[in-house]
Amino acid sequence: MLTHRFRSRKRIRPCHSSSAAAIVTLSSKIPVMLLYGAAIWCAAILLAPVCVAGAGFPKVIGQAIYFSFGEICHQIDSRSVYLGDYPLAVCVRCSAVYFGFLLGTIMYVALGSKPSTRYSYRWLVIIASVPMLFDVAGGTLGVYSMTDFSRLFTGGWFGIIIAWCVIPLAVDGAGQMARLHRFQIPSRLRGFSRV
Amino acid sequence: MLRYALYGGVVTAATIGLPVLDFLNCFCCAGVILGGVLSVFFCTRDLGPGVWSPTTSDAVQLGALSGVFGALLGSILKVLMLLSVGDVVRDLISSQLGQGGFLDALPPELIDSFEEMLYDQEPLSVFNVFALLVVWLFVGPLFGVLGGVIGFALFRPKVDPFAGTISGTPIQPPPNPPVES
């Protein structure tokens, strides 16, 4: 593995304090970068029907968004939320997951949370996934009929909870990578942590 | 690392390119996430906690690489499948519906959804193949990283991930630079 090989082949030289500061800064920017990424992703989902409706945007952008999201979602009309006359770029459950993740990220950033060992990430993943898995399995097997509310609730639950698992681990991962590769933050990203 | 990323990438490619399995990606890219999770799982299983275990950054890299491999292999596989056997799932569903087969036992809403999803697909063209590759090269690593992180949360050894490296060698804070007088 990279980390292992890196250590065994090469003696890590002590880095200067400016590099250490850059590592800390990079780690602190990860939640905000994820927040921007999630916001752009969700904006694209909302933008597709607006573009196709021709509300001041080129139609081809909307079609490209529908095509792109079509690879990762079934886009069945009867299972989609409509914005005007056109459905969103993804179905109800996917929309709930992505907007839930955005909400979870906003909460994480707004509360100024830090990576913590007080809770188990393994259990967090399980708690996030189980309701959605039951909903999908129960609905597909015909045990009960899934409703838009159940899709919205279980998807949103998954998105919010998983954000609280992904962000701290991403912060940790970015910090470790920066330490190993002595990553320097480009100057244009230095103001990223201000929301 | 490349070997484990390739394992995950093969799983991802199968969920992108193979008929029936590609339905997994309809659930928020579950197939790609699964590839990332499995690459971390294979890594932790083979190397074991006594020898060496991945750090969070390794899990992120494993997930990203599995997504890239999966996107490349999966796009090629998908095009090859469409060129060689055509859309077998569409043909199968067309032949089975209304004949008292296994599909008629499914809830009617699900059958309608299947029909709607399958008959809306566009035919294969050079532009579509290129667009497919571009989309998957963006989406694959993105959801692969998510899978790697989730895999790390599920399969990592029970130690504090924020105390340094999992192998037990804490990362020391860097010393101050020498003061030049």
Side-chain angles (χ1 to χ4, degrees):
Chain A
M1 302 292 297
L2 265 190
T3 317
H4 183 60
R5 284 183 193 155
F6 207 94
R7 281 199 197 104
S8 58
R9 286 181 191 169
K10 210 171 171 181
R11 189 170 163 267
I12 297 177
R13 286 169 292 172
C15 52
H16 295 296
S17 61
S18 60
S19 305
I23 290 163
V24 173
T25 324
L26 174 74
S27 297
S28 66
K29 286 173 199 304
I30 291 293
V32 183
M33 288 164 90
L34 280 172
L35 173 60
Y36 284 146
I40 292 168
W41 188 267
C42 292
I45 292 171
L46 292 173
L47 196 63
V50 176
C51 288
V52 172
F57 293 97
K59 219 171 186 175
V60 69
I61 293 178
Q63 287 166 342
I65 294 172
Y66 275 122
F67 177 85
S68 306
F69 280 101
E71 290 298 320
I72 57 169
C73 178
H74 51 66
Q75 293 182 327
I76 296 170
D77 287 347
S78 56
R79 293 191 181 182
S80 299
V81 179
Y82 277 70
L83 194 64
D85 293 336
Y86 297 94
L88 296 185
V90 288
C91 68
V92 178
R93 192 188 303 281
C94 292
S95 302
V97 170
Y98 298 136
F99 282 94
F101 186 85
L102 176 65
L103 185 63
T105 314
I106 290 170
M107 285 159 63
Y108 191 93
V109 172
L111 295 173
S113 303
K114 299 270 182 258
S116 167
T117 53
R118 276 182 293 178
Y119 51 85
S120 158
Y121 292 97
R122 186 174 299 161
W123 278 105
L124 217 53
V125 172
I126 293 168
I127 290 167
S129 320
V130 165
M132 193 163 71
L133 291 176
F134 267 106
D135 192 47
V136 172
T140 310
L141 297 173
V143 177
Y144 72 97
S145 86
M146 289 182 282
T147 60
D148 278 350
F149 175 76
S150 74
R151 292 182 191 116
L152 200 66
F153 175 76
T154 56
W157 173 263
F158 178 81
I160 292 171
I161 305 270
I162 212 72
W164 284 77
C165 172
V166 167
I167 298 171
L169 289 174
V171 168
D172 187 47
Q176 287 174 4
M177 266 192 274
R179 279 185 205 106
L180 283 174
H181 303 292
R182 292 191 200 84
F183 186 81
Q184 296 291 325
I185 303 173
S187 57
R188 65 179 179 280
L189 289 179
R190 291 209 174 119
F192 233 94
S193 57
R194 288 178 225 122
V195 189
Chain B
M1 170 173 268
L2 284 177
R3 191 171 61 153
Y4 299 108
L6 198 59
Y7 291 164
V10 168
V11 174
T12 305
T15 62
I16 293 173
L18 292 179
V20 182
L21 279 182
D22 61 0
F23 281 114
L24 259 180
N25 283 324
C26 290
F27 300 106
C28 297
C29 264
V32 183
I33 293 174
L34 182 70
V37 170
L38 285 179
S39 63
V40 175
F41 168 72
F42 290 135
C43 183
T44 47
R45 189 198 59 178
D46 279 10
L47 298 176
V51 184
W52 184 82
S53 298
T55 58
T56 323
S57 69
D58 293 327
V60 169
Q61 290 175 64
L62 273 171
L65 281 173
S66 78
V68 172
F69 288 144
L72 291 172
L73 296 174
S75 301
I76 295 167
L77 188 64
K78 189 167 189 171
V79 172
L80 288 177
M81 288 300 290
L82 285 172
L83 288 175
S84 58
V85 294
D87 202 337
V88 284
V89 176
R90 185 188 298 194
D91 298 342
L92 179 75
I93 288 181
S94 305
S95 63
Q96 286 287 320
L97 279 176
Q99 293 188 354
F102 69 95
L103 278 178
D104 289 333
L106 292 173
E109 191 203 42
L110 209 61
I111 295 172
D112 292 344
S113 305
F114 271 142
E115 284 182 323
E116 194 183 318
M117 182 166 52
L118 293 170
Y119 290 103
D120 283 351
Q121 284 180 352
E122 291 178 17
L124 193 67
S125 67
V126 176
F127 175 77
N128 278 2
V129 171
F130 179 72
L132 186 80
L133 188 64
V134 170
V135 168
W136 277 115
L137 276 176
F138 176 72
V139 171
L142 194 70
F143 283 87
V145 166
L146 188 63
V149 169
I150 291 175
F152 183 74
L154 286 172
F155 303 117
R156 74 183 166 82
K158 288 179 179 174
V159 290
D160 177 9
F162 307 113
T165 63
I166 285 177
S167 53
T169 319
I171 294 171
Q172 298 295 327
N176 290 327
V179 180
E180 292 176 14
S181 56

